[in-house]
Amino acid sequence: MTWDLSCRDWAARLKAGRTLVPELPLNAIEGDRAVAVLNRLRLADVTGTPTFGEAGGEWFRDIVRAMFGSVDPVTKARMIRELFLLVPKKNSKTTNGALLMLTALLLNQRPRAPFLLTAPFQKTADEAFSAIAGAIALDPVLEAKLHVRDHLKTIVHRETQANLQIMTFDPKAVTGKKVVGALIDELHVLGKIPRADKAMLQLRGGMQPFPEAFLAIITTQSDDAPAGVFKDDLEKARGVRDGTRQSAMLPVLYEYPEAMQRDPTKPWRDPINWPMVTPNLGLSIDIERLKPAFADEEAKGDAALRLWASQHLNIEIGLALHSDRWAGADFWEAAVDPTLTLDTLLKRCEVVVVGIDGGGLDDLLGLCVMGRERDTRKWLIWCHAWAHEIVLERRKDIASRLLDFQKDRDLTVVKRPGDDVEMVADIVCRIKAAGLLPEKQAIGVDTAGITDIVDELTAPGRDISMEQIIGVSQGWRLNGAIKTTERKLAGGELIHGGRALMAWCVGNAKSEPKGNADLITKSASGKAKVDPLMAVFDCTTLMATNPASAEKKYQIFVV
């Protein structure tokens, strides 16, 4: 039997300052025993070296009580196999995690049981080891029980020979490890590391032989849009919390409800709401110390404030805003219609144009379908991208993010060059069959690399004429389309589906002044991918000519 670990009233609990651990059928004896051990541990980096019982947060005691109180006293099987704790910086995240693992080592009964604490940065791993070694050095009983091997950053229990290893995360080192208990600190960083997902899969697999095994994940929000293994586990934890998924993962997420995060008035900026996501308030952190840092970052601009808020208030960043960003990025998130898909766009629009932008094998092929909505005459866009599988090898720094877009069905990975062009042509032919494609200047294509696309679109059976295809000049000649797109976004006249792929591309776009023009080019954006956004500008070039669909022209002629 699995436990229901959901906490459907989490938002109300946050506002009331209540625990986010739901009511569970815990083994009270084992849970209280674990808390008693935790409470005796001393905080080596706090003035006066108080015990956790004197200076620790009740919110974390609730987590420890649940984790250790979920072990069946007969079978020794753990009902809560994982913990996902999302908590902002300065809430004793690393220290608390370190002491949790020390508690596990002390309570463990399995001979030679291996435990692991790992973090993506050496500094974080060193801080965790220092917290553990410091607690041991301050307690003569613990010094007698445990052997601290400083040079190996390993703690050995003298009686059981169980050991706790503290190390910097390395996919090669983690892969193949069998552990009875593991803690991952700052999982959000691992989301950007190649092969981290495979290492996590191996780590979870290495726990299967042990019924009492557990994996604890303690992390802040990402300073970029969530990606890779972090995105997967964050979505899983939210699903369990909200009751839409079943899992043995205990979700404890100190984050504002989505409505508060997306509210245009940004209520999360008001310090009165900060206690909601600051569980260690009054202990390791207080609001008055946060205010000056908030004011400093606010003065630097929206990009700096978002970065600070992601780490100190767990605000999820959906769009990167850098100092040299494209001006339209500031209005992108306000222009979302989540119901907008290719199907709904074709149903709602009276005319549709297509933009195509792509490069070599290590680039994306970007497609934008832009329609003019009936009655409102707003411009609606739907975008997709294709990538050759070689990109995942050549661009390992973005491979996990591209795979996320593939899961979202916004990106297709192809094995054979040309498959992507065929799929693009299929979509164009579908639009033409719907009678929405103009008879002239309907498809805008980047003049570089246009040959394969033109050949496929004009192939027998496609029935796309050369008059419908136009090469759109890039560089400074695209300035008018860029400015028009910005104005349409700012005025609420351009709507998109709010897809993560496009938020990423818009966040990647860098503006480069050249004469009287502000350019967005692939060279200006460096290695970051912007191809689907460039396809949007190609569409804008065509839609700005106020085209009519072939079907509409025919109907007017008949009348």
Side-chain angles (χ1 to χ4, degrees), residues 342-358:
L342 178 59
D343 288 338
T344 59
L345 184 149
L346 297 182
K347 289 178 182 177
R348 291 165 58 177
C349 292
E350 60 184 1
V351 64
V352 170
V353 296
V354 176
I356 305 170
D357 185 278

Side-chain angles (χ1 to χ4, degrees), residues 99-405:
L99 298 186
L100 182 152
M101 294 306 293
L102 180 54
T103 299
L105 181 65
L106 290 168
L107 292 175
N108 166 71
Q109 298 178 6
R110 182 181 292 274
R112 301 185 180 278
F115 291 86
L116 173 68
L117 190 160
T118 183
F121 301 121
Q122 182 177 342
K123 178 178 179 293
T124 307
D126 289 346
E127 288 175 355
F129 178 76
S130 178
I132 294 171
I136 294 170
L138 290 168
D139 190 322
V141 175
L142 293 185
E143 276 196 305
K145 280 181 176 290
L146 304 171
H147 178 204
V148 179
R149 305 182 70 183
D150 292 271
H151 62 296
L152 296 176
K153 286 189 169 50
T154 300
I155 316 296
V156 180
H157 196 293
R158 300 182 192 275
E159 297 171 10
T160 64
Q161 292 301 299
N163 69 87
L164 169 59
Q165 183 181 11
I166 296 92
M167 60 181 286
T168 306
F169 183 88
D170 180 351
K172 293 181 181 178
V174 171
T175 298
K177 274 190 175 293
K178 290 186 177 181
V179 292
V180 171
L183 185 142
I184 311 290
D185 197 348
E186 295 293 28
L187 182 71
H188 74 87
V189 179
L190 303 191
K192 306 171 187 177
I193 297 178
R195 299 187 298 278
D197 55 341
K198 294 181 180 178
M200 290 291 290
L201 184 64
Q202 290 272 341
L203 191 59
R204 285 180 163 111
M207 296 180 177
Q208 293 304 314
F210 311 114
E212 77 276 26
F214 70 89
L215 171 64
I217 294 169
I218 301 182
T219 183
T220 61
Q221 182 54 265
S222 175
D223 56 2
D224 199 351
V229 65
F230 172 65
K231 178 184 178 185
D232 292 342
D233 280 351
L234 177 61
E235 290 179 351
K236 177 182 177 181
R238 286 171 173 165
V240 175
R241 176 196 64 187
D242 298 341
T244 60
R245 291 183 66 166
Q246 280 290 322
S247 174
M249 172 188 281
L250 176 65
V252 182
L253 292 87
Y254 285 93
E255 62 177 358
Y256 294 110
E258 186 175 358
M260 283 187 68
Q261 294 201 43
R262 299 199 176 277
D263 189 325
T265 64
K266 298 180 180 178
W268 53 266
R269 297 172 64 144
D270 188 340
I272 198 171
N273 291 317
W274 293 355
M276 291 176 62
V277 294
T278 313
N280 228 48
L281 193 63
L283 299 171
S284 62
I285 187 65
D286 64 60
I287 300 300
E288 293 307 313
R289 291 212 307 272
L290 285 175
K291 286 180 179 179
F294 171 83
D296 288 344
E297 298 309 309
E298 186 178 35
K300 296 176 185 176
D302 200 38
L305 180 59
R306 282 185 179 217
L307 181 60
W308 182 90
S310 73
Q311 299 301 286
H312 294 274
L313 300 176
N314 274 348
I315 297 297
E316 181 173 326
I317 293 179
L319 184 66
L321 295 179
H322 39 82
S323 58
D324 53 354
R325 63 188 178 271
W326 170 49
D330 292 335
F331 309 101
W332 187 260
E333 291 181 317
V336 173
D337 176 356
T339 68
L340 189 57
T341 64
L342 178 59
D343 288 338
T344 59
L345 184 149
L346 297 182
K347 289 178 182 177
R348 291 165 58 177
C349 292
E350 60 184 1
V351 64
V352 170
V353 296
V354 176
I356 305 170
D357 185 278
L361 289 180
D362 59 348
D363 259 332
L364 302 183
L365 175 62
L367 170 73
C368 174
V369 176
M370 178 182 287
R372 190 173 64 224
E373 190 174 30
R374 297 183 186 90
D375 300 326
T376 70
R377 295 183 66 82
K378 289 183 178 181
W379 295 2
L380 312 183
I381 62 172
W382 173 87
C383 297
H384 195 84
W386 287 261
H388 191 274
E389 59 183 10
I390 198 171
V391 174
L392 302 178
E393 291 300 319
R394 291 183 178 177
R395 294 296 311 276
K396 291 183 180 189
D397 56 325
I398 60 172
S400 61
R401 199 171 292 278
L402 295 180
L403 291 174
D404 286 340
F405 301 146

